[in-house]
């Protein structure tokens, strides 16, 4: 796919209407000049050729008429259409007619010496603007035909003047007609401007919706609409992120306030307590327990922040079964009434062992909390194509299908009272660590209890 380079400088915003109008007028003017030059050359060559051909035709015509008509009649028939005639008989008699013929009898016809009698016609000779043909007739007479090429030049001058006037009139008419045509052609740009201003005024749903997206303007309008969709989507996403951030901060403050309030209350009672040793020990335990709870919540919040900014992993080959067995062994020590077991085999993966232990610990703790620490929790390890899979299932009340994704949100607990248990970040942290490894964590449908699936690339 080709990439379109975006200019780094500012956009040149000269008037597009003026530029299009001037460009079209210059193009029309150039075409008129080319047409005029071509017409002048073609017409000049044609008129010159016709004049030369006329002289040669008259000379040929004279060879047919000689001896059939008298000298005066022959001269009268040859003269005309810009051709002057001078005929000198063998006895020296001269007959002339035409504006270029010499006046008076006995004058010598101009031109070079004639060729032999009855031979081919002499070539057309040019002296200045005068064209001449000299022909020796069969009766010994010498015929000289003359024509003025200045008439051709005058005709060309008239044609040039006509073309120039017609071209100027045509340019004037084109200038008058182009403006509304250009305005109509550029009307979609006015619609783009109006749509952009409507969006600026608050109408975020305004779109161009071109009827022909394959044209140049259609492609630009489609790109404009796609850009607006992306901008609007980014704006909605930013608002949702801001809302989630505010809710997260509010929930985090609420979660931290509970243990801190417990620490404060226990500490104050500890200061005011009597010398009863048992009561002081109970208050000290409360202070330690609530402090640990606040510390764990702070650690979870810090972990979420690291996940958002890009969690740094120290990947090494890890035996997934050994990690699962270690997590289960620790859980058994803390919850002797629960039944925990590891089944199956998933082999090794390349992962951060500490973070992987954290994921499985969060899943096991979540399962134990759902079964009130007395249920049956199974870690089922398997290999599926190029992935290692760990299914953590329990026999607790399960998760409603409507909350299948909500359980992974931050600081979300399905217990409305929000009392007891963890901070509501365990599953969010587990999914974030799984995705940082290139894997996934999902909640699978289950007939009984909940079943979470961890997939890691093998």
């Amino acid at each position: 796919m080709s990439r379109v380079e975006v200019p780094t400088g500012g956009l040149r915003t000269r008037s597009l209407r003026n530029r299009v109008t001037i460009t079209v007028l210059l193009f029309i003017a150039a075409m008129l000049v080319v047409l005029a030059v071509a017409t002048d050359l073609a017409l000049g060559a044609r008129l010159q050729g016709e004049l030369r051909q006329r002289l040669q035709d008259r000379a040929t015509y004279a060879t047919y008429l000689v001896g059939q008509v008298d000298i005066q009649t022959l001269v009268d028939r040859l003269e005309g259409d810009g051709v002057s005639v001078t005929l000198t008989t063998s006895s020296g008699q001269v007959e002339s007619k035409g504006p270029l013929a010499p006046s008076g009898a006995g004058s010598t016809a101009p031109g070079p010496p004639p060729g032999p009698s009855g031979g081919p016609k002499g070539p057309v000779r040019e002296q200045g603007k005068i064209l001449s043909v000299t022909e020796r007739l069969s009766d010994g007479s010498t015929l000289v035909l003359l024509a003025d090429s200045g008439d051709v030049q005058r005709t060309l001058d008239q044609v040039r003047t006509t073309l120039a006037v017609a071209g100027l009139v045509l340019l004037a008419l084109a200038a008058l007609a182009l403006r509304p045509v250009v305005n109509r052609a550029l009307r979609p740009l006015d619609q783009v401007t109006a749509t952009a201003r409507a969006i600026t005024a608050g109408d975020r749903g305004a779109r161009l919706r071109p009827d022909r997206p394959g044209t140049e303007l259609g492609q630009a309008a489609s790109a404009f609409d796609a850009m607006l969709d992306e901008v609007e989507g980014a704006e909605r996403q930013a608002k949702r992120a801001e809302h989630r951030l505010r809710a997260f901060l509010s929930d985090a403050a609420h979660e931290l306030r509970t243990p801190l309030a417990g620490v404060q209350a226990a500490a104050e009672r500890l200061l005011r307590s009597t010398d009863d040793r048992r009561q002081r020990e109970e208050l000290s335990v409360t202070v330690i327990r609530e402090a640990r709870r606040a510390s764990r919540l702070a650690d979870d919040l810090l972990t979420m922040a690291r996940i958002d900014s890009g969690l740094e992993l120290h990947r090494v080959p890890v035996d997934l079964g050994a990690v699962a067995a270690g997590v289960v062994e620790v859980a058994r020590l803390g919850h002797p009434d629960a039944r925990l077991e590891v089944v199956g085999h998933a082999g090794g993966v390349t992962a951060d062992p500490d973070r992987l232990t954290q994921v499985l610990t969060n899943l096991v703790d979540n399962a134990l909390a759902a079964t009130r620490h007395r249920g049956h929790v199974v870690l089922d390890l398997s290999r599926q194509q190029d992935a290692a899979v760990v299914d953590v299932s329990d026999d607790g009340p399960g998760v409603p299908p409507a909350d299948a994704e909500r359980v992974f949100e931050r600081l979300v607990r399905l217990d409305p009272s929000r009392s007891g248990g963890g901070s509501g970040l365990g599953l969010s942290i587990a999914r974030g660590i799984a995705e940082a490894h290139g894997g996934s964590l999902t909640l699978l449908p289950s007939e009984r209890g909940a079943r979470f699936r961890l997939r890691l690339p093998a």
Side-chain angles (χ1 to χ4, degrees), residues 263-433:
V263 171
Q264 181 181 359
E268 290 177 353
R269 289 187 60 188
L270 186 60
L271 290 175
R272 295 194 302 266
S273 65
T274 61
D275 295 334
D276 186 351
R277 181 178 179 181
R278 181 178 179 182
Q279 185 180 14
R280 290 179 64 87
E281 289 178 352
E282 291 178 354
L283 292 174
S284 298
V285 171
T286 301
V287 170
I288 294 173
R289 184 180 64 248
E290 296 300 325
R292 286 179 177 176
R293 181 180 174 188
S295 176
R296 182 178 179 181
L297 178 58
D299 290 340
D300 289 344
L301 293 174
L302 181 59
T303 301
M304 289 304 306
R306 289 174 178 172
I307 291 174
D308 291 339
S309 61
L311 187 62
E312 183 179 356
L313 300 175
H314 302 283
R315 298 175 184 264
V316 294
V318 178
D319 184 356
L320 194 56
V323 175
V327 171
V328 168
E329 186 64 26
V330 173
R332 284 173 180 164
L333 295 176
H335 307 89
D337 295 334
R339 289 191 304 124
L340 298 99
E341 59 179 322
V342 179
V343 298
H345 177 73
V349 295
T350 302
D352 187 326
D354 295 335
R355 295 299 183 184
L356 188 56
T357 300
Q358 186 177 4
V359 172
L360 294 180
T361 300
N362 287 353
L363 292 176
V364 171
D365 288 346
N366 179 76
L368 290 173
T371 60
R372 299 187 182 277
H373 310 289
R374 297 185 182 88
H376 185 201
V377 179
V378 179
L379 279 70
D380 186 1
L381 282 65
S382 62
R383 199 82 167 190
Q384 296 181 4
Q385 297 179 350
D386 294 333
V389 177
V390 180
D391 288 345
V392 181
S393 56
D394 59 67
D395 57 354
V399 179
D403 296 323
E405 282 298 319
R406 186 167 175 263
V407 294
F408 294 103
E409 295 182 4
R410 303 175 183 183
L411 294 174
V412 170
R413 290 176 295 184
L414 301 185
D415 183 5
S417 64
R418 300 179 62 87
S419 62
S423 63
L425 289 173
L427 293 178
S428 298
I429 292 175
R431 171 174 274 190
I433 295 175

Side-chain angles (χ1 to χ4, degrees), residues 39-342:
T39 302
D40 182 75
L41 294 176
L43 184 60
R46 181 66 178 271
L47 292 178
Q48 286 283 355
E50 288 182 351
L51 186 58
R52 291 172 179 270
Q53 187 63 40
R54 189 182 308 153
L55 290 175
Q56 292 182 340
D57 291 343
R58 296 291 174 89
T60 302
Y61 185 51
T63 59
Y64 291 118
L65 291 179
V66 63
Q68 299 181 15
V69 297
D70 56 31
I71 296 176
Q72 186 61 44
T73 302
L74 178 61
V75 170
D76 291 339
R77 291 187 178 184
L78 296 179
E79 188 269 340
D81 295 332
V83 177
S84 299
V85 182
T86 299
L87 179 63
T88 303
T89 63
S90 57
S91 61
Q93 180 183 356
V94 178
E95 290 291 338
S96 300
K97 191 173 183 180
L100 298 180
S103 58
S107 61
T108 304
S117 176
K121 297 180 295 294
V124 178
R125 299 182 180 273
E126 184 174 357
Q127 296 179 352
K129 294 183 179 181
I130 304 300
L131 301 179
S132 64
V133 172
T134 302
E135 178 71 18
R136 175 67 65 86
L137 301 179
S138 58
D139 62 352
S141 303
T142 301
L143 175 67
V144 178
L145 302 175
L146 303 173
D148 187 0
S149 62
D151 294 338
V152 174
Q153 190 62 40
R154 285 187 290 273
T155 302
L156 291 177
D157 291 340
Q158 293 176 358
V159 172
R160 291 167 185 165
T161 302
T162 302
L163 289 177
V165 174
L168 293 176
V169 173
L170 180 60
L171 284 177
L173 294 176
L176 294 176
L178 270 177
R179 198 64 180 184
V181 172
V182 171
N183 289 339
R184 182 179 180 84
L186 297 181
R187 190 174 299 170
L189 295 181
D190 296 333
Q191 186 176 355
V192 173
T193 303
T195 302
R197 290 176 177 172
I199 294 173
T200 303
D203 185 7
R204 295 294 190 267
R207 295 294 184 271
L208 294 174
R209 298 181 180 86
D211 58 345
R212 297 181 181 179
T215 63
E216 293 82 357
L217 286 175
Q219 292 177 0
S222 298
F224 185 79
D225 285 349
M227 178 195 67
L228 292 178
D229 291 339
E230 290 295 328
V231 171
E232 187 178 7
E235 184 180 17
R236 288 196 300 266
Q237 185 176 2
K239 289 182 178 179
R240 287 195 298 265
E242 182 181 2
H243 177 73
R244 288 195 303 266
L245 178 60
R246 290 179 178 178
F248 177 75
L249 293 177
S250 176
D251 291 342
H254 176 81
E255 294 292 340
L256 283 173
R257 183 177 60 183
T258 301
L260 292 178
V263 171
Q264 181 181 359
E268 290 177 353
R269 289 187 60 188
L270 186 60
L271 290 175
R272 295 194 302 266
S273 65
T274 61
D275 295 334
D276 186 351
R277 181 178 179 181
R278 181 178 179 182
Q279 185 180 14
R280 290 179 64 87
E281 289 178 352
E282 291 178 354
L283 292 174
S284 298
V285 171
T286 301
V287 170
I288 294 173
R289 184 180 64 248
E290 296 300 325
R292 286 179 177 176
R293 181 180 174 188
S295 176
R296 182 178 179 181
L297 178 58
D299 290 340
D300 289 344
L301 293 174
L302 181 59
T303 301
M304 289 304 306
R306 289 174 178 172
I307 291 174
D308 291 339
S309 61
L311 187 62
E312 183 179 356
L313 300 175
H314 302 283
R315 298 175 184 264
V316 294
V318 178
D319 184 356
L320 194 56
V323 175
V327 171
V328 168
E329 186 64 26
V330 173
R332 284 173 180 164
L333 295 176
H335 307 89
D337 295 334
R339 289 191 304 124
L340 298 99
E341 59 179 322
V342 179

